[in-house]
Amino acid sequence: MHGEGFATPSGTHGRDKWKASVARNVALMDAVLAKVNEEELAVDKFDAAIAAATDDDPLYDVEVYTQENGEASELGVHPATIADRLIKMLHARIPEYTQQSKVMVQKHGKPSRIVRYWFPITVGILSSSTILRYLVNRKAEILTWIQEFGHTIRDFWINWCVEPTRKVIQTIRHDKDSEVSIMSKRSLEGDRASLERMVVDFAIDNPGNATETGNPLTDAEIASIRAKVREGDLTPVLKAYEKDLSSPFMGTIRGNLIRALLIQVQKTKVDVEVAMGGIDALLKSQELVFGFVGLTPGILVTIGFSRWVSSAFTSRRGADASRKQGHMMRQLRNIDRVLTNSTPTEKFGELYYKDHGLLLCEVHVLREAAYRVMPAQVFRDFVEDVEELVDVRTGIKKQRKVVNRIRWAYKRYF
């Protein structure tokens, strides 16, 4: 029947050949439906059984249908006979095949849920009382663990992510409340003003150490002393201090030595505050950097946890994709085995019925797996190649070439 029934017939002889092809196909379908559910029939003997069934079938042996006066000739068969056979197939063969297929699937297919999960169900039932007793006895502790876990996550998010982010935003907006500082505001001005007053009072009380003449200080001289104090010059105090060091006891009694020491202590305090002010200015200039440093740990922990959760689901999806791709590779291997181990017909080099059926089953599974893995456009191209693969009219050699084309054209999905 190679090539018959696939082209539009032309002429009387062509129409007769087309009718004969239809009759043979009806007989072949009837024989397949009758033999496919026989359990005692071996797979390797299926083709022989179909051939034996069709050899005795008048529909299959018909060559040319010729109608004379409305009756069938000795070489033909009446269309009513074919119609009766089709009706029989629709009402008897196909329902019987469907019922037998369900029975076979139920017998040899996937077990029921009870059979598959009886062991964990039994363990769960036997240990349910112990688990329930444990949960009831530790109910308060479990609730406390859950609450503390929630509080920990909330506090971490607020203290290490939200608050540092808010401070960084305030720093960018030059918010005064967000300034980094290691000393109080206007502390240096107050101590420096106090030092000026102390030095000026000391110079007024001891004009001999402040001027060469020793006369009372004028306003201009007092202003000059104030300016020098702002620059760190304490000459009047140091002169008195040097003079009193020659006789410390008398200097202590008169009070100038102790007073000079206290003024120098104040001067040291001012110098320390000036140095601290420089450090404070440096901190303020790098305030944004410190803000990001405080924000970094929380962000890193959050990103790390998010990536861990994402990788957990991604690895699962990747494992599923790898499993699907491995399944497709096994299906392609099975298809190649079917084509390699099959013996083609002598006349046309086609597959026998058994091998063709195995090929159709493997290709169907491969197509279903490819639908879940390949993009839409690639899948459409893949379907075209698959349809060419299952076309037995092309011959086994061409089908093997199609398998090779599928292997290199879609290798990224296998």
Side-chain angles (χ1 to χ4, degrees), residues 7 95 122 125 132 162 168 228 230 235 287 295 319 330 374 412:
T122 304
I125 293 175
L132 183 61
V162 177
V168 169
K228 291 180 180 180
R230 293 191 189 96
T235 300
E287 188 174 1
L295 179 62
R330 289 192 298 272
M374 295 181 179
R412 62 172 299 185

Side-chain angles (χ1 to χ4, degrees), residues 324-370:
K324 292 177 182 178
Q325 291 178 353
H327 181 62
M328 292 177 60
M329 177 59 70
R330 289 192 298 272
Q331 292 304 128
L332 189 63
R333 171 182 173 273
N334 293 338
I335 293 172
D336 189 79
R337 288 187 61 190
V338 170
L339 295 177
T340 302
N341 298 331
S342 62
T343 302
T345 59
E346 296 179 358
K347 186 176 181 181
F348 301 111
E350 298 176 351
L351 294 174
Y352 282 102
Y353 300 126
K354 181 192 72 173
D355 297 327
H356 189 201
L358 293 175
L359 178 64
L360 289 175
C361 293
E362 298 293 346
V363 168
H364 174 73
V365 177
L366 177 63
R367 181 172 176 173
E368 292 296 322

Side-chain angles (χ1 to χ4, degrees), residues 390-409:
V390 297
D391 189 1
V392 294
R393 295 173 296 171
T394 60
I396 292 181
K397 292 183 179 180
K398 188 173 181 180
Q399 287 176 301
R400 290 174 180 172
K401 293 180 180 179
V402 174
V403 171
N404 292 330
R405 183 170 72 235
I406 291 176
R407 182 179 289 110
W408 65 258

Side-chain angles (χ1 to χ4, degrees), residues 183-192 269 273:
M183 57 182 296
S184 59
K185 298 179 180 179
R186 297 184 178 85
S187 175
L188 178 60
E189 288 80 358
D191 290 338
R192 183 175 290 174
K269 181 180 178 182
E273 289 185 354

